[in-house]
Amino acid sequence: MPPRCNWRSPNYQPLRTLTAQKTWCTCNRFPAMVAPPSPHLTVIIPVLNEAPTLPKTLVGLQGIESLEVIVVDGGSQDHTVAIAQALGARVITAAVGRAKQMNAGAAIATGEILIFLHGDTQLPTGFATMIPAALAVSGAIAGAFALQIDAPQPAFRWIEAGVNWRSRWLQRPYGDQALFLNASVFRACGGFPDLPIMEDFEFVRQLARRGEIVIVPTPVVTSARRWQRLGIWQTTLINQGIVVAYLLGVPCHSLAHWYRRSRGFPISPPPG
């Protein structure tokens, strides 16, 4: 495995946009390379009643060459579908459940690279060049972005720091960090496991056994709504409790039931 980039080093500079010549960081985490032709990218967004947050996500994807956007609706009762269609996305329907929805989107995707994005998360400017550069790193099997939470409270900076440390050093980014990988790799892995919860966690575990998951230091920006619903620390404790219980072998259907009750969701909670 290639050495990891020490992004806290005084000599470190973030990943720069891929130009016609090369992309790099000063610690050689992303080595100099000749830019290949831009691959066809597909962004897959599973949604359920995402009308308040989806417009901002989709607007950031407009005007990008060789980009396909697929919104997979799980039965929204609001204006999610109309918004997605009005903003130029291809919309399909699937059985509710993030794993089912993302797999359905991947099944019809035409892109060489798949990007799985939450409906309340915005990709950074320049993502269409950052992603191919990250996947070109020797040993890379997949990638994701650092996380930024769209809220000013100092407590969120602690959460961001913890997420970004875990992602970089433990190879465990979660779904809200816009996981991306080559379509051929996704299909060889069999897609997301059909679980009612923890599908991204389990999929990332499988990927980490095959190669390195590269973390692009430029962050995605995600909504703070999941933490604001119950409170920052209570939400964090619930999320970590779910992870520990999953690793201890608690059945996923039990975890999903407990999670939905603790969060005050109906039987089928919205992704995000």
Side-chain angles (χ1 to χ4, degrees):
M1 181 180 294
R4 300 185 189 281
C5 174
N6 182 2
W7 65 341
R8 296 190 183 280
S9 166
N11 296 321
Y12 173 77
Q13 293 182 15
L15 176 68
R16 302 179 185 177
T17 301
L18 189 65
T19 66
Q21 298 298 321
K22 60 185 177 180
T23 182
W24 73 95
C25 70
T26 56
C27 56
N28 295 322
R29 181 65 187 84
F30 294 84
M33 56 182 290
V34 176
S38 298
H40 185 188
L41 310 178
T42 298
V43 177
I44 298 167
I45 309 174
V47 295
L48 182 65
N49 298 324
E50 292 281 4
T53 59
L54 190 60
K56 191 173 182 180
T57 297
L58 292 178
V59 166
L61 302 177
Q62 293 184 323
I64 299 174
E65 187 178 357
S66 299
L67 182 68
E68 175 183 49
V69 180
I70 300 175
V71 170
V72 189
D73 184 62
S76 295
Q77 301 299 309
D78 60 6
H79 298 294
T80 293
V81 169
I83 289 169
Q85 292 172 335
L87 291 175
R90 179 181 181 184
V91 180
I92 65 171
T93 58
V96 69
R98 192 180 288 143
K100 290 183 174 66
Q101 291 171 248
M102 291 189 293
N103 286 338
I108 65 166
T110 62
E112 299 169 37
I113 295 174
L114 306 180
I115 308 160
F116 296 95
L117 184 66
H118 287 189
D120 63 351
T121 302
Q122 293 86 55
L123 287 166
T125 300
F127 74 88
T129 51
M130 294 176 189
I131 287 173
L135 291 177
V137 171
S138 177
I141 191 73
F145 290 86
L147 184 71
Q148 179 181 329
I149 301 169
D150 190 14
Q153 291 90 332
F156 286 119
R157 309 293 80 82
W158 287 96
I159 293 173
E160 292 167 356
V163 167
N164 293 329
W165 182 91
R166 181 201 69 221
S167 302
R168 184 168 298 275
W169 299 110
L170 300 183
Q171 296 278 278
R172 292 294 184 271
Y174 291 170
D176 54 6
Q177 292 173 254
L179 183 69
F180 56 82
L181 71 169
N182 286 312
S184 58
V185 172
F186 180 82
R187 290 166 186 139
C189 292
F192 287 94
D194 189 9
L195 301 174
I197 196 170
M198 301 297 288
E199 75 293 325
D200 54 349
F201 182 90
E202 183 56 37
F203 187 58
V204 165
R205 290 177 76 193
Q206 295 176 23
L207 289 172
R209 290 193 285 267
R210 292 172 173 250
E212 182 179 3
I213 300 173
V214 177
I215 304 301
V216 178
T218 305
V220 294
V221 179
T222 193
S223 168
R225 61 181 181 173
R226 76 199 69 174
W227 291 279
Q228 293 169 336
R229 186 182 182 99
L230 292 180
I232 295 173
W233 301 117
Q234 183 175 347
T235 300
T236 301
L237 288 173
I238 289 171
N239 292 343
Q240 294 310 306
I242 290 284
V243 172
V244 171
Y246 178 78
L247 293 174
L248 291 175
V250 176
C252 279
H253 67 273
S254 298
L255 293 178
H257 181 71
W258 180 72
Y259 178 79
R260 292 162 189 169
R261 287 190 61 185
S262 67
R263 299 282 292 169
F265 286 144
I267 294 177
S268 297

